[in-house]
Every structure is written in C-alpha cells, then in structure tokens.
Amino acid sequence: GQQVMQIPQYQHVQEGEDFTTYCNSSTTLSNIQWYKQRPGGHPVFLIQLVKSGEVKKQKRLTFQFGEAKKNSSLHITATQTTDVGTYFCAGGATGNEKLTFGTGTRLTIIP
Amino acid sequence: GAVVSQHPSRVICKSGTSVKIECRSLDFQATTMFWYRQFPKQSLMLMATSNEGSKATYEQGVEKDKFLINHASLTLSTLTVTSAHPEDSSFYICSASGAKNIQYFGAGTRLSVL
C-alpha cells in the first residue's frame, strides 16, 4: 500500500534558526496536505498543494510540491517558540477522500 | 472555519466494558468522516472511513466487530469500542471531510482501559 515517510523524525533548533521537513510518498499523489499537531492537541490543517512544482507561502512557512508529485517539503524561516509541534504531511490519491499521513517531524525549539 | 466536536475527551473504564465516542461536524455537513488511532509520539493510523447512510470501510487489520462505527446523519459519526481491553488504550481522533478533501479534526479522545 501507499507509504508516506518524513525526515527527520525529530528536529531541535535554536529559536531563530530555520527548519525544514521533507515528505516522500511511495506513489504519485493527487494532492498533498500539511497539518500541525501541538503537544497534547489534534492535527490542524495548514495548507493543500495540488499542482506539480507548486510553491505556497504562509508568512514564515514555505511549502513545496515536487515536480513528480511524490514529494513535498515545509520550510520555516526564523523559528519561534510557537512553532513547536509535530508537522505531518498527508497524501491524497485521485478519487479517494482518504489521506495517508506521513510519519511526522517533531520540532522542538530551544529558547 | 469548520469545527468538529469530539466527545468525550477522556475515558477511563474497566476491562470488558464498551465505550462510545461521538464526532460531530458543527457548522458543515460531512458525508465522510474518518476515525484514526494515534499511539504516543507516532503518526495517525487510519482505522476506518465512515460514510453517512452506509457501512463503514475498515482498514486492513482493524476488527469491525471490535470497533463499531455508525454514521446516522450528515453531522454525526460514532465509534464504539466493544469489550475494551488494556491494549485498546490509545488516543482516538475523528475527522470530517470538507471541501477539497481537507480534513477537520476533533480534539480527540484519550481512552484508558484498566
């Protein structure tokens, strides 16, 4: 079945440093979504990418969808303590509402 | 924004009892809802897809008689963990599918079976 892997599994950064998480799917995706889960919380939708090579920005966050629609990345510039949490990518397939969630990257910030 | 309510947030029960968890979409109709299980520091594992008015579709390895799902209306899906045992202790999260297949999650239910 479809598998979605993320690296790294954990990332500890000094506040103000940049952070990137990478997402790789075993199959071609129709879309990729990104979610953030704060410690003790539930996943919250961040963004959806649909087009090959698409790049979207949300303030300090930059999301990319690969040309082959099998990989994606999330880059955070100048991290803040509010960025703490686990970031999950989730891949969608055509004609299917199911999402396959990635393994997640847990971000911790050193003040 | 789309709001999904999940209740209860925490359950502690004795082994052998059944537990019902409710998931409601408060401000939109959701023909499809999803039930996930999440172990500590791990990803979300899809258990089943719940469709209004029809039987749920279970993922491989998930016992449908153990985890009963009912989606009786466009705003309510329920998950019943039957005859719960300690190994069923986990964090259960529901989501409702909105426009563009974006999923909106409930706050989750932490189940502890003694």
Side-chain angles (χ1 to χ4, degrees):
Chain A
Q2 181 183 56
Q3 290 186 333
V4 181
M5 304 296 293
Q6 280 181 255
I7 54 169
Q9 188 176 3
Y10 300 97
Q11 186 79 65
H12 312 285
V13 301
Q14 201 82 31
E15 186 176 8
E17 290 182 340
D18 293 355
F19 158 77
T20 305
T21 172
Y22 300 92
C23 173
N24 290 285
S25 170
S26 59
T27 60
T28 302
L29 303 169
S30 64
N31 73 95
I32 192 105
Q33 299 179 28
W34 284 91
Y35 292 79
K36 176 184 178 181
Q37 185 175 21
R38 291 181 184 273
H42 60 279
V44 174
F45 171 77
L46 293 176
I47 208 158
Q48 181 185 51
L49 303 169
V50 179
K51 299 176 184 176
S52 170
E54 189 171 12
V55 177
K56 285 189 177 180
K57 290 190 176 184
Q58 284 181 351
K59 297 183 180 177
R60 294 179 295 105
L61 278 61
T62 302
F63 303 84
Q64 287 189 305
F65 200 9
E67 293 290 341
K69 301 182 77 172
K70 294 182 72 174
N71 56 70
S72 182
S73 66
L74 158 60
H75 180 81
I76 302 178
T77 305
T79 54
Q80 300 175 358
T81 54
T82 52
D83 296 326
V84 165
T86 301
Y87 293 84
F88 292 101
C89 63
T94 301
N96 194 333
E97 288 182 276
K98 282 192 335 184
L99 293 175
T100 301
F101 277 79
T103 46
T105 297
R106 181 181 294 263
L107 172 64
T108 55
I109 306 288
I110 305 165
Chain B
V3 179
V4 175
S5 171
Q6 186 172 341
H7 178 80
S9 58
R10 174 113 200 193
V11 179
I12 302 173
C13 69
K14 292 182 180 179
S15 186
T17 58
S18 293
V19 175
K20 181 187 273 190
I21 303 169
E22 291 189 350
C23 182
R24 294 179 185 272
S25 56
L26 297 185
D27 52 0
F28 68 105
Q29 293 183 330
T31 54
T32 305
M33 291 185 175
F34 301 91
W35 288 95
Y36 295 87
R37 185 171 179 176
Q38 187 176 36
F39 292 101
K41 298 184 180 180
Q42 292 191 23
S43 187
L44 289 85
M45 182 191 79
L46 180 65
M47 298 174 65
T49 302
S50 170
N51 294 293
E52 186 267 337
S54 64
K55 290 184 179 180
T57 304
Y58 290 82
E59 294 299 302
Q60 192 172 12
V62 178
E63 299 176 58
K64 62 179 181 181
D65 295 330
K66 173 75 172 176
F67 299 100
L68 298 178
I69 291 172
N70 184 275
H71 194 154
S73 77
L74 286 171
T75 59
L76 174 64
S77 176
T78 60
L79 167 68
T80 301
V81 183
T82 61
S83 187
H85 288 96
E87 57 267 28
D88 299 323
S89 298
S90 192
F91 190 52
Y92 294 88
I93 317 178
C94 71
S95 72
S97 184
K100 300 181 181 179
N101 289 349
I102 294 167
Q103 293 189 20
Y104 300 94
F105 285 83
T109 298
R110 193 162 302 282
L111 172 63
S112 299
V113 185
L114 306 177

